[in-house]
């Protein structure tokens, strides 16, 4: 298939060089999408239907056989050899069961080792004599050691996950999922499915995956290309709002206030405060005639634009046209017959432009936010009855900056600037946005993401128990309201496929303290995994635990409180053990990653050494946030976990 595309000759089919460039780019993208992946087989399953799908199920009607794979594959004649997993005919591979065979006689799963076919397993779903069993190949694939970036789960999607993946594009969806439930993979596969089912629409409107940090995005970046999807952009929230360079940080209390949804009203008031009601008429001179628009008429025009509550910039663009229209009305009354060209000329008249500048001056969003954060009187005027006096003092800068360029903006400040920018000029909306690890976003960050999908839909992924910021989400209903998707459907994934039973049971001791009422994850893995809690006396014993786990196949993560990372890095170097930073791709030579607890979210390792749980908790502004950070760190292991501690364990774990 790739060679056929490479052999295409477009010299005689393009009308001009522009068409040729566009077509050549499309061909290049198609070639990239058809790239061979050495360890990724083209098919992983087979369905034998009792009857041909869509055909009359009369007696004697012949069935049909389909191989299921990551992408569509056809032979030299164009006949399908492998059916894309997203096609409707492939759906029974994920959802058919003994209770509901969905007209499937046989489902076959194929097992692979390094890209080589090594096993297969059959289920005769329509045979009443065969009992339902747990797929051994499915379990082996779920528990298979991983080295390198996150891989797709296309061969192991479970029925409840498939329902989420194939949900309609028109509706927004929120997925609450504990550690190891596969919510991130489900979100990425949903993107791949939507691009398959609505390719033309989404190719015009665009799709975006938003992750918590660059390490996380690097970890997941190969999933969609492995499924043949290359057009999906990935970004962090900080990337979306990068109007200024972020060089500063906020105290937790200030960040909480800046991230509060009430700041949107403060900014709205501040932007609109630039409008001044006119007190002088506008005199337009055209040739020998003068046309006067009185102040009261100008005031009516300005008030009407304010009442419409449209974007500040759009209203400012409309104002000269409204003034020009008032002049044209006078011209028509005097017997003239002006047209649109005359109105445009009047709108560009010097007197009109001067009036617009005085009444509705341009607003620089960054300068506006800078003034709010440095001018106590300006902030008090627009935060009256919105923020308390103490909250206003909390967000005011102790040391005012001279300009936008020299200001030490924080991440929360950048979000405020993005809100102000949208008040001035509408933000471009995409067709679909996937927001992962959403529980850590502030209300203002939700608003920033929501602006990117006002005319599209969203898939929100997260776990309330893993919220590790002081402003972490309290409930999904509240978060979805800030996102502008209050009507979104909420699904909960509670079956754990990644985290071993003993590990998730131990970590779940924290749930009553960090997320009361949340359903604990129930591991469905047959392998209970390796788990041990070890008192240690020094760092050499922590390194010894890493060496012990490195004797196993797969990746190893050493997770520690951020403040402990330099000491552990030095100890690893002294022991001659190579290690990577989060986001760097593991290899068979270097399989250990040293992970600060603040960057552990969303990452997975076959084996984990968790250093000093007490230090992880103490490294956060408050105990609840610290316990949530610890919950995240405890649940990064796929096959085994060793907890090492010199200090006493947090009482919530004992």
């Amino acid at each position: 298939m790739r060679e056929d595309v490479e052999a295409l000759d477009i010299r005689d089919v393009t009308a001009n060089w522009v068409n040729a460039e566009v077509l050549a780019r499309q061909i290049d993208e198609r070639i990239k999408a058809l790239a061979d992946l050495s360890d990724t087989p083209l098919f992983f399953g087979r369905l034998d239907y009792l009857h041909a799908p869509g055909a009359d199920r009369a007696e004697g009607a012949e069935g049909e056989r389909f191989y299921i794979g990551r992408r569509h594959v056809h032979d030299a004649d164009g006949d399908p050899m492998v059916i894309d997993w997203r096609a409707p005919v492939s759906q029974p591979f994920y959802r058919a069961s003994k209770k509901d065979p969905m007209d499937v006689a046989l489902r076959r799963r194929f097992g692979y080792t390094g890209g080589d076919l090594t096993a297969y397993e059959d289920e005769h779903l329509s045979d009443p004599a065969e009992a339902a069993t747990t797929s051994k190949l499915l379990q082996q694939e779920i528990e298979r050691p991983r080295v390198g970036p996150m891989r797709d789960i296309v061969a192991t999607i479970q029925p409840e996950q498939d329902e989420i993946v194939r949900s309609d594009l028109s509706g927004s969806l929120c997925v609450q999922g504990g550690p190891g439930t596969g919510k991130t993979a489900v979100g990425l596969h949903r993107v791949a499915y939507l691009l398959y089912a609505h390719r033309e629409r989404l190719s015009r409107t665009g799709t975006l995956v938003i992750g918590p940090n660059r390490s996380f995005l690097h970890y997941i970046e190969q999933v969609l290309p492995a499924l043949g999807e290359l057009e999906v952009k990935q970004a962090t929230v900080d990337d979306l709002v990068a109007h200024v360079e972020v060089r500063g940080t906020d105290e937790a209390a200030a960040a909480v206030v800046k991230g509060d949804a009430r700041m949107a009203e403060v900014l709205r008031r501040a932007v609109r405060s630039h409008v001044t009601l006119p007190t002088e008429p506008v005199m337009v001179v055209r040739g020998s005639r003068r046309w006067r628009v009185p102040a009261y008429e100008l005031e009516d025009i300005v008030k009407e634009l304010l009442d419409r509550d449209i974007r500040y910039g759009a209203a400012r663009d409309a104002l000269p046209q409204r003034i020009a229209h008032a002049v044209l009305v006078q011209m028509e009354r005097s017997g003239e017959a002006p047209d649109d060209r005359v109105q445009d000329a009047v709108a560009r008249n010097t007197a009109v432009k001067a009036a617009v500048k005085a009444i509705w001056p341009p607003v620089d969003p960054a300068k506006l936010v800078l003034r709010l954060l440095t001018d106590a009187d300006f902030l008090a005027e627009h935060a009256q009855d919105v923020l308390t006096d103490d909250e206003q003092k909390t967000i005011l800068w102790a040391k005012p900056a001279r300009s936008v360029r020299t200001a030490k903006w924080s991440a929360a400040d950048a979000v405020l600037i993005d809100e102000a920018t949208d008040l001035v000029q509408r933000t471009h909306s995409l067709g679909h946005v996937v927001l992962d690890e959403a529980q850590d976003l502030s209300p203002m960050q939700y608003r920033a993401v929501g602006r990117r999908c006002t005319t599209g839909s969203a898939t929100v992924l997260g776990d309330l128990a893993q919220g590790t910021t002081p402003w972490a989400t309290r409930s999904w209903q509240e978060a979805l309201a800030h996102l502008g998707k209050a009507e979104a459907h909420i699904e909960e994934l509670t079956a754990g496929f990644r985290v071993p039973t003993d590990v998730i049971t131990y970590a779940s001791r924290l749930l009553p303290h960090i997320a009361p009422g949340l359903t604990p994850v129930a591991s469905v893995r047959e392998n209970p995994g390796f788990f041990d809690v070890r008192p240690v006396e020094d760092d050499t014993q922590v390194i010894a635990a890493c060496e012990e786990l490195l004797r196993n196949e797969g990746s190893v993560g050493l997770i520690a409180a951020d403040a402990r990372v330099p000491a552990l890095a030095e100890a690893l170097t002294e022991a001659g053990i190579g290690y990577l930073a989060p986001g760097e791709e593991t290899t068979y030579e270097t399989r250990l990653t040293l992970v600060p607890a603040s960057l552990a979210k969303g990452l997975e390792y076959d084996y984990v050494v968790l250093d000093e749980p007490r230090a992880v908790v103490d490294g956060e502004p408050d105990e609840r946030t610290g316990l949530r950070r610890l919950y995240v760190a405890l649940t990064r292991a796929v096959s085994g976990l060793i907890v090492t501690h010199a200090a006493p364990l947090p009482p919530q774990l004992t």
Side-chain angles (χ1 to χ4, degrees):
M1 289 170 65
R2 187 174 62 253
E3 288 169 356
D4 287 345
V5 179
E6 290 172 338
L8 288 174
D9 186 352
I10 62 172
R11 286 174 296 182
D12 297 327
V13 297
T14 53
N16 53 55
W17 70 270
V18 176
N19 289 347
E21 287 289 332
V22 171
L23 190 55
R25 183 170 179 269
Q26 291 175 341
I27 289 174
D28 286 343
E29 292 298 317
R30 177 66 174 159
I31 292 170
K32 290 177 185 176
L34 291 172
D36 281 324
L37 302 173
S38 59
D39 292 339
T40 304
L42 287 176
F43 64 91
F44 50 81
R46 194 183 97 188
L47 288 177
D48 291 3
Y49 277 89
L50 290 171
H51 310 88
D56 183 13
R57 298 189 181 184
E59 280 293 326
E62 289 189 13
E64 202 163 348
R65 173 178 296 174
F66 299 96
Y67 284 84
I68 313 300
R70 285 166 174 77
R71 62 188 72 180
H72 170 84
V73 181
H74 61 248
D75 61 17
D77 297 323
D79 294 325
M81 299 173 66
V82 178
I83 305 297
D84 195 302
W85 67 275
R86 298 167 285 188
V89 75
S90 302
Q91 188 171 328
F93 184 78
Y94 302 108
R95 298 206 193 172
S97 65
K98 292 293 290 185
K99 288 184 179 179
D100 181 15
M102 300 177 72
D103 200 45
V104 173
L106 178 142
R107 171 169 58 200
R108 173 170 289 179
R109 301 181 191 273
F110 295 98
Y112 290 87
T113 302
D116 295 327
L117 177 62
T118 53
Y120 69 87
E121 182 181 75
D122 289 345
E123 297 172 86
H124 298 85
L125 298 177
S126 298
D127 183 357
E130 185 176 294
T133 57
T134 302
S135 169
K136 298 290 185 184
L137 282 181
L138 194 61
Q139 284 290 335
Q140 290 171 10
E141 174 62 22
I142 287 173
E143 298 175 15
R144 178 163 59 93
R146 71 249 4 254
V147 173
M150 180 181 181
R151 59 174 181 255
D152 64 73
I153 61 164
V154 67
T156 63
I157 294 173
Q158 300 300 292
E160 64 271 22
Q161 295 174 326
D162 190 63
E163 286 185 27
I164 295 170
V165 167
R166 296 177 193 264
S167 296
D168 191 63
L169 174 63
S170 60
S172 292
L173 194 64
C174 176
V175 182
Q176 158 64 38
T181 55
K183 58 185 178 296
T184 296
V186 166
L188 295 174
H189 286 68
R190 174 160 165 72
V191 171
Y193 171 77
L194 292 176
L195 285 168
Y196 174 87
H198 308 277
R199 188 168 300 281
E200 187 175 335
R201 176 178 169 185
L202 289 178
S203 65
R204 294 195 311 269
T205 57
T207 52
L208 175 67
V209 174
I210 302 174
N213 51 57
R214 281 277 144 207
S215 297
F216 179 82
L217 293 179
H218 185 72
Y219 178 61
I220 67 171
E221 67 183 357
Q222 293 303 318
V223 173
L224 290 167
L227 301 173
E229 301 298 345
L230 305 171
E231 293 297 314
V232 181
K233 294 181 179 178
Q234 298 179 4
T236 65
V237 174
D238 291 343
D239 293 333
L240 299 183
V241 300
H243 304 285
V244 292
E245 183 183 357
V246 174
R247 296 185 294 130
T249 56
D250 284 315
E251 295 289 334
V256 169
V257 177
K258 289 178 182 180
D260 195 296
R262 293 174 295 162
M263 287 300 300
E265 174 59 20
V266 176
L267 289 165
R268 192 187 73 85
R269 291 180 183 180
V271 168
R272 288 167 65 96
S273 72
H274 289 74
V275 178
T276 304
L277 292 177
T279 57
E280 299 291 333
V282 172
M283 190 71 72
V284 177
V285 179
R286 282 186 60 81
S288 60
R289 299 293 301 270
R290 294 189 174 194
W291 308 97
R292 181 176 180 274
V293 182
Y296 71 85
E297 190 172 347
L298 290 173
E299 185 176 332
D300 288 342
I301 292 172
V302 172
K303 285 182 176 178
E304 191 265 336
L305 286 172
L306 286 171
D307 290 341
R308 288 182 61 191
D309 202 25
I310 58 178
R311 296 292 193 283
Y312 185 92
R316 187 175 188 275
D317 293 340
L319 181 57
Q321 291 291 335
R322 296 295 178 89
I323 297 173
H325 178 73
V327 172
L328 259 66
V329 170
Q330 294 183 31
M331 290 180 175
E332 289 169 348
R333 285 174 182 165
S334 68
E336 295 189 21
D339 56 17
D340 290 345
R341 288 175 298 177
V342 175
Q343 179 167 331
D344 289 339
V346 173
R348 294 193 300 270
N349 182 274
T350 304
V352 174
K353 289 164 73 174
V356 170
K357 186 175 181 180
I359 297 167
W360 212 295
V363 170
D364 183 305
K367 287 182 179 178
L368 174 78
V369 173
L370 183 63
R371 187 179 175 192
L372 276 173
L373 297 177
T374 56
D375 186 335
D377 293 336
F378 187 66
L379 176 61
E381 178 186 352
H382 302 300
Q384 186 177 3
D385 301 325
V386 179
L387 300 179
T388 66
D389 292 344
D390 287 342
E391 287 174 328
Q392 292 176 38
K393 290 176 184 176
T394 300
I395 64 174
L396 276 170
W397 289 0
K399 195 174 182 181
R402 292 182 180 180
S403 68
V404 168
R405 183 168 293 181
T406 60
K408 288 190 176 181
W409 298 105
S410 69
D413 297 333
V415 178
L416 296 180
I417 294 172
D418 189 70
E419 180 83 27
T421 302
D422 185 71
L423 289 166
V424 175
Q425 202 73 40
R426 184 182 296 277
T427 304
H428 175 67
S429 175
L430 299 164
H432 192 77
V433 169
V434 173
L435 175 61
D436 203 358
E437 300 295 349
Q439 71 280 344
D440 273 339
L441 269 60
S442 70
M444 290 299 286
Q445 287 176 315
Y446 277 116
R447 290 175 62 88
V449 174
R451 286 191 283 277
R452 271 76 185 177
C453 56
T454 50
T455 58
S457 55
T459 299
V460 180
L461 311 165
D463 179 12
L464 295 178
Q466 295 187 59
T468 51
T469 55
W471 51 85
T473 303
R474 294 183 182 88
S475 75
W476 289 123
Q477 289 82 0
E478 182 183 327
L480 292 168
H482 293 311
L483 192 70
K485 304 293 181 185
E487 79 292 345
H489 181 63
I490 300 175
E491 292 277 358
E492 187 171 9
L493 294 174
T494 58
F497 303 99
R498 299 290 189 223
V499 186
T501 304
D502 291 350
V503 174
I504 196 64
T505 301
Y506 184 72
S508 294
R509 295 180 183 183
L510 298 175
L511 282 181
H513 307 280
I514 60 176
L518 206 61
T519 305
V521 172
S523 179
V524 297
R525 294 177 50 158
E526 292 186 349
N527 180 1
F530 171 73
F531 174 64
D532 195 14
V533 179
R534 297 179 185 175
V536 296
E537 295 179 358
D538 52 39
D539 291 346
T540 58
Q541 291 175 285
V542 178
I543 304 306
C546 294
E547 291 176 314
E548 176 185 333
L549 294 181
L550 283 168
R551 297 187 195 109
N552 300 308
E553 183 185 1
S555 57
V556 176
L558 171 55
I559 303 177
D562 292 30
R564 289 270 298 144
V565 168
L568 291 172
E570 186 178 339
L572 286 169
T573 302
E574 289 179 0
I577 300 175
Y579 64 91
L580 304 164
E584 293 181 340
E585 191 169 322
T586 54
T587 64
Y588 288 99
E589 291 75 30
T590 308
R591 294 182 288 117
L592 176 67
T593 305
L594 178 56
V595 188
S598 61
L599 296 181
K601 190 169 297 176
L603 305 179
E604 288 181 343
Y605 303 94
D606 288 296
Y607 296 91
V608 167
V609 174
L610 174 58
D611 170 75
E612 288 296 356
R614 183 77 256 175
V616 173
V617 176
D618 293 343
E620 299 299 327
D622 58 84
E623 186 180 63
R624 181 166 173 264
T625 304
L627 290 173
R628 286 184 165 191
R629 182 76 72 191
L630 178 58
Y631 181 74
V632 171
L634 283 168
T635 53
R636 299 305 93 200
V638 174
S639 297
L641 170 67
I642 298 176
V643 177
T644 59
H645 66 100
L649 291 170
Q652 294 85 353
L653 279 179
T654 57

